[in-house]
Amino acid sequence: MSVETQKETLGFQTEVKQLLHLMIHSLYSNKEIFLRELISNASDAVDKLRFEALAKPELLEGGAELKIRVSFDKDAKTVTLEDNGIGMSREDAITHLGTIAKSGTADFMKHLTGDQKKDSHLIGQFGVGFYSAFIVADKVDVFSRRAGSAASEGVHWSSKGEGDFEVATIDKAERGTRIVLHLKSGEDEFADGWRLRNIIKKYSDHIALPIELPIEVAAAEGEEKPAVEWETVNRASALWTRPRTEIKDEEYQEFYKHIAHDFENPLSWSHNKVEGKLEYSSLLYVPTRAPFDLYQREAPKGLKLYVQRVFVMDQAESFLPLYLRFIKGVVDSNDLSLNVSREILQKDPIIDSMKSALTKRVLDMLEKLAKNEPEQYKGFWKNFGQVMKEGPAEDFANKEKIAGLLRFASTHGDDGEQVVGLAEYLARAKEGQDKIYYLTGETYAQVKNSPHLEVFRKKGIEVLLLTDRIDEWLMSYLSDFDGKSFVDVARGDLDLGNLDSEEDKKAAQEVAKAKEGLVERLKTALGDSVAQVRVSHRLTDSPAILAIGEQDLGLQMRQILEASGQKVPDSKPIFEFNPAHPLIEKLDNEQSDERFGDLSHILFDQAALAAGDSLKDPAAYVRRLNKLLVELSA
Ligand code: ADP
């Protein structure tokens, strides 16, 4: 062993300590994945070197044959992985192997429950990478040197996976990284050629560079020790370059885990080769679960970009719109230049046409999933539905397609689950129904019981119930689907069109005429609080309701804007009353102006409460109500 200098002991970042602890306790049932994770890192390191060497060929000095070697020592109980990739400097080792750079990690850790099964899922989504070495090893030594730096600038990193690690500067002749795992007692099964070979075949066959294992050959004549020869055990070709028909599902799945740093299989994938004006291959995956940082602004997103098989960059964001940021995959272009940069990607017209083609691919894949695997699509919607709802605003061109993928709760379901698609809604619409009705609100319980739905219930017309925070905003971007326009049932003067019979319409007109006096009296009593008063034809059980003006902001948007500190334009509701309700009849017969005033304000406030709004003057409401209660009991 070479001389070690500048030796120091450093503590792991808190999150690393937590992760190490949890991982060792929750991933014991699938220990062999440590090898996949370390090979995946080695392969990334080689990709990075290959890319950097395009501009600086001298980085390849001492060996341009890029590979990974896995070996073992049965007696010493060690497994060793060696790559001749980009390597790490002392500083790299301290930061990369001592901290976790992902944003939102501390938050993520809080979600861990201590329940090993649940946590192992969460950790899977998080990705454990290098630290998985400690599933099987009680000591890990890393020897590394950054390509291009002097042999004297190697680093030896070592840790028992507890609270701290040691680093020292060493001499290392070859660039790249060698990782030595000192197997825990009971884990020596991994120091075995067959076992390692099988694990590599199972998880890492798709890795595009050779992974070699030693084979013993008989000692040459006159030699005592058998010579070691290396044998490539994986297929060692880029998966996406192979024809679809030759690739097994398992291979697609393992490749996904490698690029997505996910432990779970993907839900679906789409592999394509485009030839013609533009030439590129793409392999796009829909994950099964949402990553923990889906809503973190700085979370990694985008595809892995290759140019003519050479890895160029991770997280190339220009190939997909933001609402599809959960898609993982690779794109390999023959048209881009190898020294393409993020800035160039943002401007290149080639990228625009690739982006629209790839977006369409993803939407097609989701359509297929929804059609062929509705149960799986439900799971997809639970995980990614909120993000898909950003689509219509961002991607005007695909608005109709995205709308078809949306799922909603509705009055025809009973548990508030978002499972109804617009095509399904229209397929079972009432005869003569040429609108798509919806209602937005805070909670499912609130909208489900909203008085706005009374007439729809009576007529058996389905209404979509929208309670996600972004729903009202979403609906402001959707005006129609399949030629049928959307109608907010809490907005404007509800016109049921053909769904109301001629008699209904005539009767309504007559009632409106008969109640003109009451309307005027209410206008005077409610004064400034309302924009308008009118007879309602959407109520069967409730006495009154507040409708939103056709052009006014709804409650949800108002609340969002207010919460973000913006000034919201004043708007007044329309007060609609149900002439058949006993309370309204009573009101109509009320002689005392004071009592009329109190009762109409109570009805107004109740209607606001039923809509999920808060009262402007709650104390006045309570005072008026109590006054009535006292009179009642007197
Ligand atoms: P991730 O791979 O998700 O970034 P890891 O914990 O697996 O997380 O690795 C952390 C970092 O350590 C990597 O991003 C890389 O910078 C560095 N690293 C790990 N293994 C190697 C290797 N074999 N060669 C060079 N760098 C490596």
Side-chain angles (χ1 to χ4, degrees):
M1 166 127 352
S2 58
V3 189
E4 305 211 332
T5 57
Q6 291 175 274
K7 208 167 175 159
E8 62 178 323
T9 302
L10 296 164
F12 281 120
Q13 180 197 25
T14 318
E15 285 85 352
V16 175
K17 276 190 251 176
Q18 284 172 309
L19 180 67
L20 280 170
H21 177 84
L22 272 153
M23 200 183 53
I24 292 164
H25 292 96
S26 7
L27 294 182
Y28 57 87
S29 61
N30 199 12
K31 290 174 179 165
E32 60 192 26
I33 56 102
F34 78 91
L35 194 59
R36 171 185 83 192
E37 299 292 304
L38 297 178
I39 288 177
S40 181
N41 280 348
S43 153
D44 288 347
V46 166
D47 272 349
K48 280 181 206 156
L49 173 69
R50 200 181 272 136
F51 176 63
E52 285 192 21
L54 293 172
K56 289 192 235 161
E58 65 273 18
L59 292 181
L60 290 172
E61 204 182 5
E65 212 183 295
L66 300 168
K67 59 181 174 267
I68 301 170
R69 282 182 163 173
V70 181
S71 57
F72 57 95
D73 184 330
K74 265 192 170 38
D75 300 325
K77 299 198 174 89
T78 57
V79 171
T80 300
L81 276 99
E82 181 146 27
D83 68 66
N84 54 0
I86 194 73
M88 281 178 275
S89 68
R90 182 184 172 109
E91 288 67 42
D92 289 342
I94 292 173
T95 39
H96 296 330
L97 308 182
T99 58
I100 301 173
K102 294 175 204 178
S103 54
T105 299
D107 235 21
F108 166 80
M109 293 292 170
K110 283 195 212 117
H111 283 98
L112 298 171
T113 55
D115 176 332
Q116 291 175 349
K117 215 170 153 207
K118 276 192 203 143
D119 288 351
S120 73
H121 272 309
L122 280 170
I123 288 183
Q125 274 164 274
F126 182 79
V128 292
F130 169 77
Y131 300 104
S132 64
F134 290 99
I135 304 174
V136 295
D138 51 17
K139 182 168 179 241
V140 176
D141 282 309
V142 179
F143 305 90
S144 194
R145 175 162 71 78
R146 173 97 193 165
S149 64
S152 60
E153 288 173 39
V155 60
H156 174 199
W157 179 103
S158 177
S159 175
K160 296 193 160 139
E162 286 156 2
D164 48 32
F165 59 94
E166 281 178 2
V167 274
T169 298
I170 55 162
D171 276 357
K172 189 172 183 292
E174 320 79 23
R175 66 153 193 273
T177 304
R178 182 167 76 249
I179 300 180
V180 182
L181 309 176
H182 302 268
L183 299 171
K184 289 180 191 173
S185 73
E187 309 295 355
D188 22 341
E189 54 170 304
F190 291 110
D192 177 88
W194 269 110
R195 189 69 210 276
L196 292 170
R197 173 186 297 260
N198 285 333
I199 302 175
I200 293 169
K201 284 300 276 178
K202 181 165 164 196
Y203 296 110
S204 309
D205 202 38
H206 60 79
I207 294 286
L209 73 157
I211 305 169
E212 299 182 343
L213 272 177
I215 40 167
E216 285 194 4
V217 288
E221 230 170 303
E223 301 264 336
E224 244 175 58
K225 271 175 97 186
V228 175
E229 277 185 18
W230 294 90
E231 184 194 19
T232 301
V233 292
N234 65 326
R235 187 188 287 264
S237 70
L239 183 89
W240 64 89
T241 60
R242 291 164 47 198
R244 265 192 306 222
T245 45
E246 280 178 19
I247 307 176
K248 292 202 265 324
D249 283 0
E250 292 75 25
E251 294 180 90
Y252 277 121
Q253 289 163 345
E254 286 310 324
F255 183 70
Y256 165 76
K257 291 177 191 169
H258 165 57
I259 57 159
H261 299 276
D262 190 348
F263 276 34
E264 252 179 289
N265 283 333
L267 199 57
S268 182
W269 57 85
S270 165
H271 180 191
N272 295 283
K273 199 175 182 138
V274 176
E275 275 159 351
K277 222 166 80 208
L278 289 180
E279 282 187 17
Y280 62 92
S281 303
S282 63
L283 174 49
L284 305 172
Y285 290 95
V286 183
T288 296
R289 249 172 243 266
F292 75 103
D293 51 5
L294 185 59
Y295 292 100
Q296 299 271 339
R297 202 184 286 260
E298 330 78 278
K301 47 187 160 290
L303 305 176
K304 244 175 140 75
L305 174 63
Y306 288 76
V307 170
Q308 296 170 33
R309 319 274 173 286
V310 178
F311 167 79
V312 170
M313 70 176 80
D314 264 320
Q315 298 161 30
E317 295 176 13
S318 308
F319 293 95
L320 286 173
L322 208 54
Y323 72 98
L324 298 179
R325 60 185 175 274
F326 55 87
I327 297 292
K328 306 279 183 198
V330 300
V331 48
D332 186 349
S333 158
N334 282 347
D335 306 301
L336 293 169
S337 136
L338 274 161
N339 55 21
V340 67
S341 67
R342 281 182 203 279
E343 293 65 43
I344 294 175
L345 285 182
Q346 278 166 12
K347 291 188 218 118
D348 196 331
I350 292 183
I351 307 301
D352 276 343
S353 62
M354 284 174 77
K355 180 178 178 178
S356 59
L358 292 171
T359 301
K360 198 146 169 305
R361 280 258 139 75
V362 173
L363 297 176
D364 286 346
M365 165 164 58
L366 292 173
E367 261 171 15
K368 226 155 95 199
L369 189 70
K371 189 160 160 251
N372 302 336
E373 313 274 353
E375 276 310 306
Q376 295 207 8
Y377 192 76
K378 265 188 205 169
F380 163 77
W381 186 258
K382 270 207 186 95
N383 275 287
F384 300 107
Q386 296 276 318
V387 187
M388 289 299 292
K389 285 181 176 178
E390 297 171 13
E394 186 187 357
D395 187 358
F396 192 79
N398 288 305
K399 213 155 79 162
E400 181 88 357
K401 227 169 154 56
I402 302 166
L405 291 166
L406 301 176
R407 293 293 179 269
F408 302 98
S410 106
T411 48
H412 281 34
D414 54 2
D415 52 4
E417 239 199 305
Q418 298 182 3
V419 292
V420 181
L422 295 173
E424 187 189 349
Y425 175 97
L426 287 176
R428 64 187 181 210
K430 290 264 160 211
E431 222 183 288
Q433 180 181 344
D434 58 355
K435 302 274 191 295
I436 301 171
Y437 295 104
Y438 71 93
L439 176 64
T440 58
E442 279 288 280
T443 63
Y444 175 66
Q446 178 218 316
V447 288
K448 189 181 70 167
N449 298 317
S450 165
H452 284 287
L453 297 178
E454 287 173 9
V455 67
F456 292 93
R457 208 168 286 128
K458 188 170 129 198
K459 291 179 184 281
I461 304 168
E462 180 168 12
V463 178
L464 302 174
L465 303 176
L466 278 53
T467 54
D468 283 337
R469 245 180 93 79
I470 72 166
D471 280 340
E472 202 181 302
W473 175 81
L474 161 71
M475 295 316 285
S476 69
Y477 285 93
L478 287 178
S479 54
D480 49 68
F481 176 76
D482 200 9
K484 310 277 192 295
S485 50
F486 287 98
V487 172
D488 178 350
V489 304
R491 196 175 278 278
D493 192 5
L494 185 66
D495 177 6
L496 289 178
N498 296 334
L499 295 169
D500 266 338
S501 64
E502 281 311 310
E503 293 96 85
D504 284 346
K505 282 180 194 160
K506 217 158 146 221
Q509 273 169 6
E510 276 164 21
V511 178
K513 199 144 179 55
K515 295 295 168 192
E516 270 171 3
L518 180 56
V519 168
E520 286 311 312
R521 242 181 126 190
L522 277 163
K523 271 189 193 159
T524 316
L526 295 173
D528 268 357
S529 334
V530 294
Q532 207 187 326
V533 174
R534 66 183 173 220
V535 176
S536 180
H537 44 267
R538 52 184 132 198
L539 294 176
T540 57
D541 305 323
S542 302
I545 205 169
L546 298 181
I548 313 160
E550 204 66 73
Q551 306 302 333
D552 292 341
L553 281 180
L555 188 58
Q556 217 181 23
M557 284 281 261
R558 231 168 58 213
Q559 286 169 345
I560 292 173
L561 290 177
E562 273 166 1
S564 71
Q566 295 194 51
K567 191 139 175 43
V568 182
D570 243 356
S571 62
K572 292 175 191 165
I574 299 155
F575 183 84
E576 283 192 6
F577 63 87
N578 172 6
H581 195 280
L583 261 180
I584 299 295
E585 282 172 7
K586 211 169 165 146
L587 189 71
D588 206 5
N589 296 326
E590 182 55 62
Q591 301 302 315
S592 149
D593 277 343
E594 192 190 332
R595 292 260 296 262
F596 184 92
D598 283 344
L599 191 55
S600 31
H601 275 286
I602 287 174
L603 288 171
F604 176 87
D605 284 348
Q606 282 183 343
L609 287 174
D613 206 349
S614 52
L615 300 183
K616 296 228 164 46
D617 187 353
Y621 170 73
V622 173
R623 195 167 6 90
R624 289 189 183 111
L625 191 64
N626 287 350
K627 204 163 123 196
L628 275 187
L629 289 174
V630 168
E631 280 172 26
L632 207 67
S633 51

